[in-house]
Amino acid sequence: MSLAWGHRYLMCPAEHFGVLYEINPWMSREVPADPSRSLAQWETLVETLRDAGAEVEILGSVDDLPDMVFTANAGLVWGERFVPSRFTHPERAGEEPHYRRWFRTNGWSITELHNRPHFEGAGDALPFRDRIIAGYRIRSEFEAHTALAKALNVEVLSLELVDPRFYHVDLTFCPLDDRRALCVPSAWDSYGRDVVKAVVPEPIDLEPDEALSFCANSVVIGDVIVMPSCSDRLRSLLSDFDVRVCPVDEFLKAGGGVRCLTLALDVGAH
Ligand code: ARG
């Protein structure tokens, strides 16, 4: 059965996007983003998502917050509730009030995590069936998972992220439907690998080159999958999906792909 969520997203235009600091291994100030290509790629992604049947809401971008384009890290939506992020790096902390304001004014109730642990939102927390698969160590703290489980009354399964190149769980895990997910097991500790084996009936493990081109950082809208790139191998494994490749190489320079540029607004509402 296809995913019950993934039909409504929040995105933030790339007007102020840039590689202005280095907080993950992909970012280098010596490899700056091209502003007009970034804008064009972002616009194409919005069109591709809308064309696939998704609704896209827009949050205004803010000067001096170059990573705000990665709305996956705003927080986590769970039904009518919004759990705001608390960023690990001070470079991104300035984004927090803007996300809170948008969710408050758009009718969500804000749920704070107990003791305010570091938590980077949907970038580190993805629903699979009735659970949340969450990543910790590099950005979000383990404490955020226990706090999340308690606040939302949901089972949170924790994967320790062990490869700095895959610093958010959404670079390593992509739910496809109620049986399958794209997976990068080498980015998880052995406990995490067992957890995914136990709850995902048909995992599709990515090859190293697929993982490194952020194939797991894709967006699924029913039977459409919008990917930053796709190998022939993966395309044949995903033969029942309508695969639409949307190049976002300007954003890869900052360590983000298709999924990072979106925040699902219809999670946990079913
Ligand atoms: N430059 C951003 C950072 O390091 C990229 C965020 C990517 N987001 C994601 N959900 N994986 O925070």
Side-chain angles (χ1 to χ4, degrees):
M1 206 173 56
S2 58
L3 294 181
W5 58 279
H7 296 271
R8 198 171 160 220
Y9 293 95
L10 179 67
M11 294 179 65
C12 174
E15 285 143 7
H16 297 102
F17 169 66
V19 184
L20 307 187
Y21 46 73
E22 297 167 7
I23 57 169
N24 69 54
W26 303 91
M27 300 174 91
S28 161
R29 268 168 295 189
E30 278 154 38
V31 188
D34 176 322
S36 58
R37 278 196 60 162
S38 313
L39 276 173
Q41 290 185 347
W42 186 87
E43 293 288 349
T44 306
L45 177 59
V46 174
E47 275 165 38
T48 309
L49 296 175
R50 287 190 171 142
D51 196 53
E55 252 178 79
V56 178
E57 310 263 354
I58 307 291
L59 157 72
S61 64
V62 179
D63 197 12
D64 287 331
L65 295 174
D67 272 339
M68 199 166 153
V69 72
F70 298 114
T71 50
N73 299 120
L76 179 70
V77 168
W78 195 254
E80 297 305 309
R81 300 163 80 181
F82 174 66
V83 182
S85 288
R86 184 169 162 240
F87 285 95
T88 307
H89 294 97
E91 288 87 342
R92 294 198 67 182
E95 299 172 32
E96 292 172 19
H98 300 285
Y99 300 132
R100 278 167 198 269
R101 192 171 322 116
W102 190 88
F103 280 92
R104 215 181 306 113
T105 50
N106 284 279
W108 267 268
S109 73
I110 310 285
T111 298
E112 303 286 354
L113 292 183
H114 184 62
N115 277 341
R116 309 224 336 103
H118 290 144
F119 172 59
E120 297 204 352
D124 263 336
L126 288 158
F128 188 78
R129 300 209 203 191
D130 50 356
R131 299 177 167 107
I132 291 175
I133 305 281
Y136 73 100
R137 184 68 70 208
I138 302 179
R139 296 293 183 86
S140 302
E141 294 177 280
F142 181 74
E143 290 65 35
H145 298 181
T146 29
L148 200 59
K150 209 161 169 207
L152 302 178
N153 191 26
V154 60
E155 193 179 347
V156 177
L157 300 176
S158 301
L159 313 183
E160 183 177 348
L161 301 176
V162 297
D163 181 337
R165 295 171 301 177
F166 301 107
Y167 55 93
H168 279 137
V169 84
D170 69 355
L171 303 170
T172 72
F173 185 76
C174 178
L176 295 175
D177 52 29
D178 67 345
R179 301 192 55 80
R180 294 176 296 173
L182 301 177
C183 296
V184 185
S186 62
W188 309 325
D189 66 328
S190 65
Y191 174 79
R193 292 198 286 268
D194 289 346
V195 161
V196 172
K197 235 182 252 160
V199 301
V200 180
E202 295 170 43
I204 299 178
D205 292 350
L206 298 186
E207 297 287 344
D209 58 329
E210 295 163 346
L212 289 168
S213 47
F214 284 2
C215 288
N217 202 248
S218 297
V219 164
V220 175
I221 304 142
D223 61 358
V224 178
I225 179 165
V226 181
M227 310 184 70
S229 69
C230 186
S231 62
D232 292 342
R233 184 194 83 99
L234 211 46
R235 211 178 263 276
S236 60
L237 290 172
L238 296 173
S239 59
D240 56 328
F241 273 94
D242 176 353
V243 175
R244 304 191 188 173
V245 171
C246 193
V248 286
D249 44 278
E250 289 303 324
F251 301 97
L252 299 184
K253 295 175 181 170
V258 167
R259 166 75 76 191
C260 304
L261 293 165
T262 66
L263 176 66
L265 294 174
D266 55 355
V267 169
H270 309 277

